[in-house]
Amino acid sequence: MRVRLIYSPDVVEKPILAEVISKTGLLINILEAKVNAQKGELVVSIPSSGEKLEEAIAMFRRAGVKVEEIKETLKIDQEKCTSCGACISPCPTQALQFSSDWTLKYEEEKCVACGTCVNACPFGALTLLEGSEG
Amino acid sequence: MNKGDRRIRSVKEINEKIKRGDAVVLTAEEMIKLAESSGVKAAAKEVDIVTTGTFGAMCSSGVFLNFGHSDPPIKMTKCWLNDVPVYKGLAAVDGYLGAAALSETRGFEYGGGHVIEDLVSGKEIELRAESYGADCYPRRHIETTITIDDLNQAILVNPRNCYQRYDAATNSSDRILYTYMGTLLPNYGNVTFTGAGQLNPLCKDWNYETIGIGTRIFLGGGVGYVIGEGTQHNPQSGFGTLMVRGDLKRMNSRYLRGASFYKYGVTLYVGIGIPIPIINERVAKTATLRDDQIIVEIRDYGVPSRPDRRPVIKRVTYADLRSGKVYINGKEVPSSSLSSYKMAREIAEVLKKWILEGLFFLTEPVEPLPRKGRLKPLRVRRKEPTVRELMRREVVTAKPDEKVEEAARKLIVKGIDHLPVIAEDGRLVGIVTSWDLARAIAERRRFLSEIMTRRVVTAREDETIDAVAWRMAQHSISGVPVVDEEKKVIGIITTDDISKRLVEGRSRV
C-alpha cells in the first residue's frame, strides 16, 4: 500500500521512519521525499497488509505523523489517449508502460503523483486527481 | 537486368484482383512473419500488397479553406478560427490554417492542429476576420461561427509528412528540457523517439519504386494522394518525406489529433497508410525490413545546436528503442515513443480491410520521388554578435582554498559580481557570486571551496549572444565564464555587458 506521511514541525527531525522499519522489519520503500526544517512529506510504499500494515500505520500516528492512504492518483481519458508513449519514459517509477498490444498500461501502485506525465502528454489525456498532488 | 528488377505483377493486375476479390493483402507486420517462415522469394510470389501505417506528430500540416462570400462581401486580410491566426495572403475568402499556429488567447494549449481536429469532429468554430475595405469588398469586419459543412472546400495539404525515420533524443544537460521530442529528463534520464519503423510507408519502399506523385493513400481516415516529395526530403540519408493532400471533409478525427507539446508548441498527429504493391522482389525485400534493421541515431538535445549538429550519443535500432530501454555510457536509460505504434498498426489494418472489401484501388505514380538530394542548413549571412566580441578578457579569479573575506574584498575592489574559481592548472572548478559571499559571511563560512557552485553554467566564445542570453535566463543567472575546450577560463560575460551593448547599439542609430 502507498501512503503519504506528513511530518509536523515538532516531529520533522525525529528518525520515525527508521524506527518503524527497524521495529516492524518491513522493507518500506521511499518513493518521494520533501523535507525541510518546517515540514516533511514522504510518499512510501509499505509492502504488507493486514495486522502488520495496521501496526506500522499506528506507529507512525503515535509518533505524531499524519498518514494518508493514496488510492487513485492518475486519471487517463481513454478517448483522448492514443497510446503514443510520450508519458512512458519521463515517468520516474515506471508506472506507465505498454502492454503487449502497445496500449498504454498504468499501474496504480507504482504512481507517486509527481505529475511529470501530465505535462508530457500531448493530448491532455492525463490528470492528477484532486488531493493527490505531491 | 538484376533479378530483383524482374516484374512480378503490375499495379493494373493488382487492381483487377481487387475487383475480383482475390488480392492477397498483408500488413507489414504480417509480411515480415511470412518472409521469416517462407522466405522473401515465396512471399513476393504470394503477396500482392503490403499495407503500412504511421501515426505521429507532423507539424508541417495544414488545411486550405474557402469560407464562401458573406453579404456584403469582405476581402479578409486577417482571419482567426477560435483565435488561431489563418494565413490570409490569398484571395478574399481563401485561407491556410497551419497545424503549428498558436491560439492568440490560449497559447500552447490550443492551436491549428486542434482547430483541424475540431473541424473534422463537426464542432462549431468561431470565425473572425478583418479587412481594409474596397469598392468591391465593402465589409471591414466579420464575426460568425462555422462548421466544416459550411465551408466550400477544406483540403488538407501537408508540405512534410511521413518521415522515413527520425533521430531519437536524449538530454545530457542538468536541466529538464521540454522539446518537440517531448519531456527530456536531465543527465540522460530518458530517450524519446518517433516513427513507425517496420510499419512506416517509406521504410517499406526504401528505394521509392512504388510511391510517387499520384499515389493514393489513407490520409487522416479518408482517402488522400501523394503530391510529391515533402520539404526537407533527404533520400540519400534515408530521411525521405512526403507532401500529401486529401479532402478534410471525408476524414475522421480519430486519425487527426491536435496536440500540445509542453512549453514547445502545438501540432497535429496525422495518420497515414500507404499500400505497397509488390511489383518485384526488391520491393518485397524492403517490405520485410524489421525494426532491428532500421538504424536510428540518438542525439543530445542538451546541446542547443541545429538538429544535424547535435552530437550523436549512440546508434541504435527501432527494436532497441521499442524494447523500452537503451544503454548510454553503460547506464540503462528508459526509452519511449512519441508516435503511436498501436494506431500505426490500426491504420495498416484499416487500409487492408478497405482493399479486401474492394473500396480502395491502387494507383501507379505519374512521377517517382527524387532519389537524390541533401539537406542544406540556413546560413546566417548577417553578422550576429558573438561572445568573443562582448566578453571581458581580464577575468578576476580565485582559488578554492581562498578565504571568503579575501574573495569578498576582490569583488568590492574590482566592482564585479562573479568570481570564477579555478584549479592550479587554470581549469574552472566553481563560481561564487556576491550573493554567495554575503551569505557565506552571514553563516561564518571560511573557504570558497565550501560555498562555491560546482556545476557552472558556461559559454564558448564562438556562441551567439542570443544563445547565451537565453541560457542565462533559463538558469536565472546574471553572468557566465567563457571557457575553451580544456575548460580553462578565457573570459567572462554578464547581463550588464549585454545590456550595455544594446544601449550602445541604440545610441548609434
Side-chain angles (χ1 to χ4, degrees):
Chain A
M1 187 171 88
R2 284 166 314 144
V3 296
R4 175 170 286 118
L5 305 173
I6 300 160
Y7 291 61
S8 67
D10 316 333
V11 299
V12 75
E13 283 182 25
K14 292 183 188 163
I16 299 168
L17 180 63
E19 221 177 296
V20 175
I21 291 172
S22 76
K23 280 192 183 155
T24 59
L26 287 170
L27 297 175
I28 297 175
N29 194 14
I30 302 176
L31 303 172
E32 204 185 288
K34 279 181 216 158
V35 185
N36 60 35
Q38 277 85 47
K39 204 183 163 194
E41 230 187 81
L42 302 182
V43 175
V44 299
S45 156
I46 308 176
S48 176
S49 60
E51 248 175 62
K52 205 144 191 208
L53 175 70
E54 274 167 37
E55 185 195 330
I57 291 175
M59 282 176 76
F60 281 118
R61 291 203 167 123
R62 274 201 302 277
V65 177
K66 206 171 140 197
V67 183
E68 285 173 1
E69 189 184 343
I70 299 177
K71 280 188 181 144
E72 244 195 337
T73 42
L74 190 69
K75 195 171 148 255
I76 304 177
D77 185 332
Q78 298 297 346
E79 290 283 297
K80 289 183 180 169
C81 176
T82 66
S83 290
C84 69
C87 57
I88 291 177
S89 69
C91 171
T93 59
Q94 279 91 54
L96 293 155
Q97 293 284 324
F98 279 126
S99 55
S100 59
D101 70 347
W102 302 103
T103 304
L104 182 69
K105 179 179 77 180
Y106 165 59
E107 283 178 77
E108 187 71 56
E109 301 76 59
K110 289 186 180 170
C111 177
V112 292
C114 68
T116 307
C117 59
V118 175
N119 291 335
C121 176
F123 303 99
L126 305 176
T127 34
L128 281 180
L129 291 172
E130 222 168 297
S132 65
E133 267 124 299
Chain B
M1 190 164 155
N2 190 312
K3 238 179 147 191
D5 280 331
R6 204 170 50 224
R7 182 176 286 267
I8 302 177
R9 57 180 74 77
S10 69
V11 169
K12 206 175 153 205
E13 284 160 3
I14 291 174
N15 280 338
E16 274 157 20
K17 282 180 127 183
I18 296 175
K19 219 176 280 173
R20 288 199 304 268
D22 57 12
V24 179
V25 189
L26 295 192
T27 67
E29 284 184 324
E30 291 165 341
M31 179 68 170
I32 290 168
K33 272 193 202 138
L34 178 66
E36 274 169 0
S37 61
S38 343
V40 175
K41 231 180 200 173
K45 248 183 216 163
E46 191 185 329
V47 180
D48 298 310
I49 305 165
V50 170
T51 62
T52 62
T54 184
F55 184 79
M58 304 191 194
C59 293
S60 261
S61 296
V63 57
F64 280 106
L65 304 163
N66 180 280
F67 298 110
H69 288 292
S70 59
D71 202 9
I74 177 169
K75 180 191 188 304
M76 301 178 184
T77 51
K78 286 182 177 173
C79 173
W80 297 262
L81 290 174
N82 285 352
D83 289 338
V84 179
V86 174
Y87 176 71
K88 272 306 300 151
L90 297 168
V93 292
D94 276 338
Y96 185 77
L97 172 68
L102 294 175
S103 153
E104 289 181 356
T105 47
R106 293 170 65 190
F108 290 160
E109 238 176 75
Y110 190 89
H114 298 91
V115 177
I116 292 170
E117 181 186 337
D118 286 346
L119 275 169
V120 177
S121 318
K123 287 188 185 156
E124 252 185 20
I125 311 278
E126 300 275 341
L127 164 70
R128 183 161 54 87
E130 288 170 6
S131 177
Y132 46 76
D135 286 343
C136 46
Y137 288 110
R139 189 195 280 272
R140 294 175 61 188
H141 186 82
I142 194 165
E143 242 174 276
T144 183
T145 61
I146 55 151
T147 69
I148 195 166
D149 295 332
D150 297 323
L151 298 166
N152 287 313
Q153 280 80 25
I155 302 166
L156 195 72
V157 178
N158 301 345
R160 180 172 70 253
N161 277 182
C162 211
Y163 253 117
Q164 193 161 2
R165 55 199 183 97
Y166 208 84
D167 289 336
T170 191
N171 169 19
S172 68
S173 82
D174 56 4
R175 171 174 90 77
I176 189 163
L177 298 179
Y178 299 104
T179 71
Y180 62 84
M181 289 299 285
T183 302
L184 297 174
L185 303 176
N187 307 312
Y188 305 111
N190 67 332
V191 170
T192 61
F193 68 99
T194 178
Q198 61 190 15
L199 274 172
N200 175 285
L202 288 176
C203 278
K204 306 272 86 174
D205 181 16
W206 193 273
N207 304 305
Y208 316 141
E209 290 186 67
T210 72
I211 301 174
I213 298 180
T215 299
R216 186 180 289 135
I217 62 172
F218 170 112
L219 177 60
V223 171
Y225 295 87
V226 172
I227 55 176
E229 81 274 26
T231 53
Q232 293 183 19
H233 181 61
N234 186 2
Q236 273 157 294
S237 310
F239 289 102
T241 69
L242 295 177
M243 193 176 290
V244 301
R245 69 87 84 187
D247 184 355
L248 193 73
K249 292 189 178 214
R250 304 175 74 167
M251 293 186 191
N252 178 342
S253 60
R254 180 169 175 77
Y255 305 105
L256 283 177
R257 299 280 191 95
S260 314
F261 279 84
Y262 186 65
K263 291 191 178 177
Y264 167 73
V266 295
T267 185
L268 183 71
Y269 270 59
V270 181
I272 294 183
I274 302 185
I276 311 291
I278 304 302
I279 54 168
N280 60 37
E281 248 176 52
R282 198 174 39 231
V283 172
K285 191 154 198 306
T286 64
T288 60
L289 265 183
R290 295 184 316 256
D291 272 347
D292 62 1
Q293 296 166 318
I294 306 170
I295 304 287
V296 179
E297 287 177 336
I298 303 176
R299 288 187 186 263
D300 181 7
Y301 279 57
V303 177
S305 294
R306 70 175 203 236
D308 59 317
R309 281 223 182 131
R310 292 183 186 121
V312 173
I313 300 297
K314 202 171 178 181
R315 284 161 73 91
V316 292
T317 66
Y318 272 109
D320 296 328
L321 292 164
R322 237 181 270 293
S323 77
K325 54 177 189 274
V326 292
Y327 291 86
I328 294 179
N329 304 330
K331 198 182 107 188
E332 189 182 300
V333 178
S335 60
S336 65
S337 56
L338 300 163
S339 53
S340 172
Y341 193 74
K342 189 190 174 199
M343 292 293 289
R345 255 183 164 180
E346 183 180 310
I347 289 163
E349 285 289 349
V350 171
L351 181 56
K352 175 182 165 183
K353 197 165 150 261
W354 286 358
I355 298 170
L356 289 175
E357 289 174 358
L359 302 170
F360 187 105
F361 291 88
L362 273 53
T363 57
E364 213 148 354
V366 291
E367 234 177 81
L369 297 175
R371 289 173 200 170
K372 279 189 182 161
R374 288 199 175 280
L375 194 59
K376 287 182 292 191
L378 175 64
R379 277 180 54 190
V380 185
R381 294 204 167 87
R382 203 173 280 183
K383 204 172 160 304
E384 286 180 305
T386 59
V387 171
R388 189 180 292 127
E389 292 159 49
L390 253 69
M391 70 181 193
R392 276 175 285 136
R393 286 164 206 278
E394 282 156 33
V395 191
V396 183
T397 59
K399 296 275 152 58
D401 57 2
E402 219 164 288
K403 283 197 177 135
V404 165
E405 289 78 10
E406 205 176 310
R409 208 168 300 131
K410 269 188 188 170
L411 290 194
I412 296 163
V413 171
K414 304 276 182 184
I416 52 174
D417 287 318
H418 304 84
L419 193 58
V421 183
I422 57 171
E424 286 299 327
D425 60 1
R427 287 186 334 134
L428 182 71
V429 291
I431 192 164
V432 289
T433 62
S434 41
W435 164 251
D436 296 330
L437 286 171
R439 204 173 67 184
I441 289 164
E443 289 175 359
R444 296 179 196 287
R445 303 288 187 90
R446 293 184 61 204
F447 298 104
L448 293 189
S449 57
E450 298 170 44
I451 62 152
M452 68 187 187
T453 302
R454 286 166 198 274
R455 270 197 181 169
V456 191
V457 180
T458 60
R460 291 188 328 265
E461 64 172 341
D462 58 349
E463 285 185 287
T464 63
I465 295 297
D466 208 42
V468 176
W470 168 257
R471 191 172 312 141
M472 285 199 255
Q474 290 301 302
H475 289 87
S476 308
I477 53 175
S478 57
V480 291
V482 184
V483 294
D484 64 10
E485 263 153 34
E486 290 165 343
K487 256 194 117 182
K488 288 195 174 140
V489 178
I490 55 171
I492 189 159
I493 184 160
T494 67
T495 47
D496 270 1
D497 301 331
I498 297 171
S499 56
K500 258 184 222 148
R501 161 81 177 219
L502 280 178
V503 173
E504 273 172 28
R506 204 170 298 147
S507 64
R508 240 181 263 145
V509 174

